[in-house]
């Protein structure tokens, strides 16, 4: 074998090895360049062998080697094509994953934006509602957190509305296991709360009956129940009676402010208020107030 043949063969082997290694470490462009160098080297080796065919005594052996090299080249080309196809499929899958992730990200971003908008809207509604209730609080000339006897305040409210209650045929009674129950609140505002609820019963009883005001204390809370024997309201209307300007099916003249103001007073002192009214069996107003 001549020196040129040896050099061509060595270069072919080197480029062949680099081509194999390149599938794992090189870019596609560099793999193609190395593969072309391998092809040129092996072609040159084949050409050198062909040139020396007449002088080389082992020509048949050389032809066999060329055939083997061509077979290896063809196999390498097939392996290369297979690897390229596999890489293309992998790139395609990754591209699909990227597109899917991008789509999900945009969807999530849109949902977060909508949620933020709804949250901001709800926050504004809550602030508006809070401001509305604060504006309904009656002015207070007394100490807003004075210690008062809530039973005494209830009796005063009954006394002030005694004439109206008598005309309507409404008897008002107070029921309590204690003579005195103290709470930190404005006497003026609590008086207005009782007056508004009692006045509501006077207006809407629409028949003679009774209003029982039960006042009790459990641990650090005062519980007040004002239950009359009037006609009451349907359940779907009862849940709206504390709303401003609400007029039920038994509406009469008035602006519907009384119970809304009572709710504002109760919530101002950290309490809760709700109503129950089995139709035909009166109206019950239930109040919880913290004592401090």
């Amino acid at each position: 074998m001549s020196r040129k043949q040896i050099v061509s063969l060595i270069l072919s082997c080197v480029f062949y090895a680099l081509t194999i290694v390149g599938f794992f470490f090189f870019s596609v462009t560099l793999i193609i360049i190395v593969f072309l160098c391998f092809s040129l080297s092996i072609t040159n080796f084949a050409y050198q062998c062909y040139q020396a065919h007449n002088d080389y005594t082992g020509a048949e052996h050389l032809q066999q080697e060329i055939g083997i090299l061509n077979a290896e080249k063809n196999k390498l080309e097939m392996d290369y094509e297979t690897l390229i196809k596999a890489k293309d499929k992998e790139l395609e899958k990754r591209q699909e994953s990227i597109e899917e992730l991008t789509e999900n990200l945009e969807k999530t971003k849109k949902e977060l934006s909508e949620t933020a908008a709804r949250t901001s809207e709800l926050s504004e509604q809550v602030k508006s509602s809070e401001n509305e209730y604060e504006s309904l609080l009656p002015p207070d000339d007394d100490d807003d957190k004075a210690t008062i006897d809530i039973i005494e305040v209830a009796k005063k409210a009954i006394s002030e509305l005694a004439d109206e209650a008598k005309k309507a045929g409404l008897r008002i009674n107070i029921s309590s296991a204690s003579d005195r129950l103290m709470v930190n609140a404005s006497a003026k505002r609590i008086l207005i709360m009782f007056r508004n609820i009692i006045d509501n019963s006077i207006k809407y009883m629409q028949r003679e009956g009774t209003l029982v005001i039960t006042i009790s204390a459990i641990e650090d809370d005062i519980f007040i129940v004002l239950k009359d024997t009037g006609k009451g309201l349907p359940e779907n209307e009862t849940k709206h009676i504390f709303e401003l300007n609400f007029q039920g099916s038994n509406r009469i003249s008035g602006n519907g402010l009384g119970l809304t103001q009572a709710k504002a007073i109760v919530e101002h002192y950290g309490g809760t208020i709700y109503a129950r009214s089995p139709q035909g069996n009166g109206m019950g107003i239930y109040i919880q107030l913290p004592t401090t």
Side-chain angles (χ1 to χ4, degrees), residues 10-45:
I10 291 172
L11 288 174
S12 298
C13 293
V14 170
F15 287 124
Y16 175 78
L18 288 174
T19 301
I20 296 300
V21 172
F23 282 114
F24 301 95
F25 299 98
F26 299 161
S27 65
V28 174
T29 302
L30 189 56
I31 292 172
I32 293 173
I33 293 172
V34 174
F35 178 76
L36 290 175
C37 292
F38 163 72
S39 299
L40 291 174
S41 299
I42 197 67
T43 302
N44 183 58
F45 174 76

Side-chain angles (χ1 to χ4, degrees), residues 15 21 23-24 48-49 59 70 97 102 121 124 149 156 165 175 180 188 192 211 217 221 232 239 241 255 259 267 285:
F15 287 124
V21 172
F23 282 114
F24 301 95
Q48 293 294 331
C49 291
N70 281 331
S97 297
T102 302
E121 183 179 348
E124 290 298 323
D149 179 3
K156 184 177 180 181
S175 174
R180 301 181 68 193
K188 182 176 180 179
I192 292 173
L211 169 64
D221 291 302
K239 61 185 178 182
I241 66 171
N255 58 13
L259 292 183
E267 293 185 347
I285 305 294

Side-chain angles (χ1 to χ4, degrees), residues 116-136:
R118 287 196 298 269
T119 301
S120 177
E121 183 179 348
L122 289 173
S123 178
E124 290 298 323
Q125 290 177 357
V126 170
K127 289 180 181 178
S128 176
S129 178
E130 290 176 349
N131 292 335
E132 182 178 285
Y133 274 117
E134 286 296 327
S135 67
L136 291 172

Side-chain angles (χ1 to χ4, degrees), residues 154 157-159 161-162 165 168-175 193-205 207-214 224-230 259 282-286:
I158 294 171
S159 175
L161 294 171
L170 178 65
R171 297 182 302 278
I172 306 175
N173 300 316
I174 289 183
S175 174
M193 178 196 76
F194 278 115
R195 283 180 57 91
N196 287 354
I197 298 173
I198 295 170
D199 182 63
N200 190 75
S201 289
I202 293 172
K203 289 179 179 178
Y204 292 98
M205 280 280 290
R207 62 188 182 190
E208 293 186 359
T210 59
L211 169 64
V212 178
I213 303 175
T214 304
I224 308 166
V225 179
L226 301 97
K227 182 72 170 65
D228 65 35
T229 57
L259 292 183
M283 171 69 71
I285 305 294
Y286 300 82

